[in-house]
């Protein structure tokens, strides 16, 4: 009888542990999926979660659009919590499965976007903007600003025509390039399934005598648009 009671107690404990593990696994998968959803950056470059926080009036940066990114910290906390719960809910091969989850978090979003752009997207929605491969430079001659911008894109779909506008300049000293709209009046073309750097020249009148005589910038955000749509990249 004592053995029977001990056996039943062990079975109950195993059942409770199994239920707790299952609950942790469900919570872990939910948090990992939530991380993927919140970090989604298509069709615009701003993550979906950051857009939601802004929509409800919550700040995402400590200093406007710079400083500490509260959203990134929140996203990391959600991801780490999900991975921790995943690790604690597994009895077999926990390290391998957690490593696979980390790889999925890093690899899956970008490749899902590329897959969608290649198969389903049309128009400007097929474009991928290479921010690090893009730059602008200029020189001032009297009251005229002469320069060029090299913009790098990857087109995952059919050929497309579009225009580009500098959206948000991270370097305040060159903010006047955004104000002058140096790119917005020119139509660009990308061939189908192609990566290309497009050089756009500009010449603009500047009335501000404090405008620098020369300069350059890179890593800037842009707005891509055509007759029917626009995207913030």
């Amino acid at each position: 009888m004592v053995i029977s009671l001990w056996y039943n107690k062990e079975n109950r404990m195993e059942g409770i542990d199994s239920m707790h593990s299952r609950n942790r696994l469900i919570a872990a998968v939910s948090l990992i999926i939530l991380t993927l959803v919140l970090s989604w950056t298509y069709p615009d470059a701003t993550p979906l979660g950051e857009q939601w926080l802004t929509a409800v009036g919550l700040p995402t940066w400590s200093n406007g659009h710079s400083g500490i990114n509260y959203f990134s910290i929140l996203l990391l906390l959600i991801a780490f919590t999900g991975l921790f719960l995943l690790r604690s809910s597994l009895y077999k091969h926990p390290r391998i499965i957690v490593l696979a989850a980390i790889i999925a978090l890093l690899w899956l979003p970008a490749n899902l976007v590329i897959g969608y752009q290649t198969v389903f997207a049309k128009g400007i929605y097929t474009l991928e903007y290479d921010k690090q491969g893009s730059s602008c430079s200029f020189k001032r001659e009297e009251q005229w600003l002469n320069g060029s911008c090299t913009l790098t894109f990857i087109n995952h779909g059919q050929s497309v025509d579009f225009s580009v506008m500098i959206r948000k300049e991270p370097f305040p000293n060159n903010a006047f390039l955004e104000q002058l709209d140096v790119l917005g009046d020119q139509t660009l073309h990308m061939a189908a399934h192609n990566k290309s750097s497009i050089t756009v020249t500009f010449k603009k009148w500047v009335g501000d005598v404090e405008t620098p005589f020369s300069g350059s910038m890179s890593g800037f955000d842009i707005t891509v648009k055509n007759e029917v749509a626009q995207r913030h990249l």
Side-chain angles (χ1 to χ4, degrees):
M1 182 176 180
V2 174
I3 295 176
S4 177
L5 290 174
W6 176 82
Y7 181 76
N8 290 335
K9 182 179 179 181
E10 285 293 315
N11 283 341
R12 286 198 300 271
M13 293 299 296
E14 289 179 1
I16 293 173
D17 289 342
S18 177
M19 182 180 65
H20 287 168
S21 296
R22 184 170 62 251
N23 290 339
R24 286 196 297 268
L25 180 60
I26 293 172
V29 173
S30 299
L31 290 175
I32 291 172
I33 292 175
L34 179 61
T35 302
L36 292 172
V37 172
L38 293 177
S39 61
W40 190 257
T41 55
Y42 181 84
D44 293 334
T46 304
L48 191 59
E50 190 169 330
Q51 295 181 42
W52 289 348
L53 291 177
T54 302
V56 298
L58 295 177
T60 56
W61 292 86
S62 61
N63 186 23
H65 294 284
S66 61
I68 300 173
N69 190 328
Y70 298 139
F71 170 72
S72 295
I73 296 174
L74 175 63
L75 196 65
L76 286 174
L77 289 175
I78 295 173
F80 285 145
T81 302
L83 293 172
F84 173 79
L85 290 175
L86 181 64
R87 171 65 178 83
S88 64
S89 67
L90 299 172
Y91 294 108
K92 294 182 178 180
H93 312 297
R95 294 182 180 179
I96 295 176
I97 295 176
V98 169
L99 179 60
I102 294 173
I103 294 174
L105 285 172
L106 297 175
W107 178 86
L108 194 59
N111 284 276
L112 283 176
V113 169
I114 292 174
Y116 175 82
Q117 289 180 305
T118 303
V119 178
F120 300 107
K122 296 180 180 179
I124 61 173
Y125 293 99
T126 65
L127 294 175
E128 177 184 347
Y129 171 53
D130 182 1
K131 182 187 294 189
Q132 303 306 318
S134 303
S135 62
C136 290
S137 61
F138 65 89
K139 289 184 179 180
R140 199 184 88 185
E141 298 177 2
E142 297 182 351
Q143 298 301 105
W144 288 96
L145 199 69
N146 296 297
S148 64
C149 291
T150 299
L151 307 170
T152 302
F153 295 94
I154 303 173
N155 184 12
H156 297 285
Q158 299 302 312
S159 60
V160 58
D161 295 322
F162 58 98
S163 60
V164 175
M165 179 177 64
I166 297 175
R167 178 166 61 92
K168 183 178 64 179
E169 177 48 51
F171 304 105
N173 291 336
N174 292 322
F176 60 88
L177 287 181
E178 176 187 356
Q179 298 169 4
L180 290 175
D181 190 19
V182 295
L183 304 176
D185 57 351
Q186 303 189 49
T187 299
L188 311 182
H189 177 80
M190 280 292 296
H193 302 287
N194 183 45
K195 179 177 181 179
S196 179
S197 294
I198 304 173
T199 299
V200 182
T201 60
F202 59 85
K203 184 175 183 179
K204 293 287 184 176
W205 172 266
V206 289
D208 189 354
V209 295
E210 296 183 358
T211 301
F213 283 97
S214 64
S216 62
M217 64 178 185
S218 60
F220 45 85
D221 298 328
I222 62 173
T223 294
V224 173
K225 54 187 178 180
N226 59 12
E227 297 83 359
V228 295
Q230 69 175 19
R231 296 174 59 200
H232 300 308
L233 303 177

